[in-house]
Amino acid sequence: MAANFWTSSHFKQLLDPEEVDVVHQQDKDKGITLEEFKLIKMHMANYIMKLAQNVKVRQRVVATAVTYMRRVYTRRSMSEYDPRLVASTCLYLASKAEESTVQARLLVFYIKKLSSDEKYRYEIKDILEMEMKILEALNYYLVVFHPYRTLSPLLQDAGMNDMSLTQLSWGLVNDTYKMDLILTHPPYLIALACIYIASVYREKDITTWFEELRVDMNVVKSISMEILDFYENKMIADERISTAFLKLALKP
């Protein structure tokens, strides 16, 4: 893995939000809206987390898998690349990239256990075939930097050593993977936004610390608002998720 974010392929692949919020034509032809596109990606991020809990991999692997999945859909349509198979395969690929390899047969065992629909009870060959397609879609760039790396030292530097503040900040970072922030912002800014929210929520004034960092607070606050907006809007009925998947299943 590259040691420096600013010279990494991750930095070079950062996108503008407008580039991420694009529904591919094949999906549009099936009636998929931008809201549904985001909803499916969030649902698949949750699925990756659930699958990861079963195969017992660390949070970093989950975060990398979700990043891969979100990168794939900036370049490929959901009609071409079934989200359920992509999500499972991204976890398999991420486990290898993060040196925490999960055996394909173990992954397939839990995929089948979690799926009630025979159509989505994938075999090992399905995972391996999709792995090659995903590698191609990612241009073989597998490096991902995460906010976790800078979160702990930043919390310590800010004097936010209280366990409840630490847990809140980490929980916020985990939830950012239900959004596309990792595709549009440097990880350290995402970490700072989570620290900012936690400090406001727990009424801990670290204004001076932020000033000393000389970071653009407009950007930090903007990311913070995206996170807070997500929490406001995340109460979404399962029926809307089902409707979006039904559209994908339709023939164009």
Side-chain angles (χ1 to χ4, degrees):
M1 290 290 185
N4 187 336
F5 171 74
W6 303 107
T7 59
S8 71
S9 58
H10 185 157
F11 171 64
K12 293 168 186 171
Q13 292 184 90
L14 285 180
L15 301 168
D16 292 328
E18 298 76 25
E19 295 177 286
V20 175
D21 291 339
V22 176
V23 181
H24 296 277
Q25 190 59 50
Q26 283 179 275
D27 296 335
K28 280 183 183 176
D29 292 344
K30 291 186 175 182
I32 297 293
T33 64
L34 178 57
E35 183 185 2
E36 288 171 329
F37 179 54
K38 291 180 177 181
L39 185 56
I40 291 170
K41 287 190 290 183
M42 186 184 77
H43 186 64
M44 288 299 99
N46 289 335
Y47 174 73
I48 287 171
M49 195 170 299
K50 188 184 296 185
L51 193 55
Q53 287 170 351
N54 280 275
V55 298
K56 295 181 171 52
V57 291
R58 54 203 170 106
Q59 179 59 31
R60 183 184 174 89
V61 177
V62 174
T64 297
V66 173
T67 305
Y68 289 167
M69 181 267 293
R70 291 185 177 280
R71 281 181 181 172
V72 165
Y73 288 123
T74 63
R75 298 162 183 168
R76 301 288 189 272
S77 72
M78 291 180 172
S79 300
E80 290 178 286
Y81 286 59
D82 173 20
R84 297 171 186 83
L85 182 54
V86 167
S88 304
T89 308
C90 283
L91 182 61
Y92 177 64
L93 181 58
S95 76
K96 292 198 284 186
E98 297 293 351
E99 299 179 354
S100 185
T101 306
V102 173
Q103 290 188 348
R105 70 168 177 271
L106 180 66
L107 189 69
V108 165
F109 172 80
Y110 283 109
I111 290 169
K112 291 179 178 179
K113 190 174 181 181
L114 291 174
S115 178
S116 56
D117 191 332
E118 191 66 36
K119 181 180 176 184
Y120 304 116
R121 293 161 67 87
Y122 304 110
E123 301 295 340
I124 292 174
K125 68 177 180 61
D126 300 317
I127 300 291
L128 298 180
E129 286 173 6
M130 180 54 75
E131 181 184 22
M132 295 310 299
K133 291 179 180 179
I134 288 172
L135 282 168
E136 187 178 339
L138 296 174
N139 293 325
Y140 298 90
Y141 290 134
L142 302 180
V143 172
V144 181
F145 283 77
H146 296 290
Y148 304 111
R149 185 173 184 172
T150 51
L151 185 64
S152 292
L154 285 171
L155 283 168
Q156 190 171 3
D157 192 53
M160 291 174 65
N161 300 316
D162 180 85
M163 183 56 72
S164 63
L165 280 167
T166 300
Q167 289 177 339
L168 176 57
S169 300
W170 277 82
L172 287 164
V173 170
N174 287 343
D175 283 344
T176 63
Y177 288 91
K178 296 175 183 176
M179 298 163 264
D180 286 312
L181 292 175
I182 195 67
L183 302 188
T184 56
H185 296 287
Y188 83 97
L189 286 176
I190 298 172
L192 285 173
C194 293
I195 291 171
Y196 177 72
I197 294 171
S199 70
V200 172
Y201 185 73
R202 292 293 162 84
E203 298 181 342
K204 184 171 178 65
D205 187 1
I206 54 171
T207 307
T208 304
W209 178 74
F210 271 112
E211 288 173 353
E212 289 172 355
L213 285 181
R214 296 184 179 178
V215 67
D216 188 339
M217 283 306 294
N218 289 326
V219 176
V220 172
K221 289 178 180 179
S222 174
I223 297 171
S224 300
M225 287 307 300
E226 283 190 65
I227 296 169
L228 294 174
D229 285 347
F230 165 77
Y231 285 123
E232 279 190 20
N233 298 321
K234 80 171 186 174
M235 298 304 292
I236 301 164
D238 286 342
E239 297 80 48
R240 291 170 71 185
I241 296 171
S242 300
T243 300
F245 276 111
L246 281 171
K247 287 182 180 180
L248 278 180
L250 294 174
K251 300 288 185 187

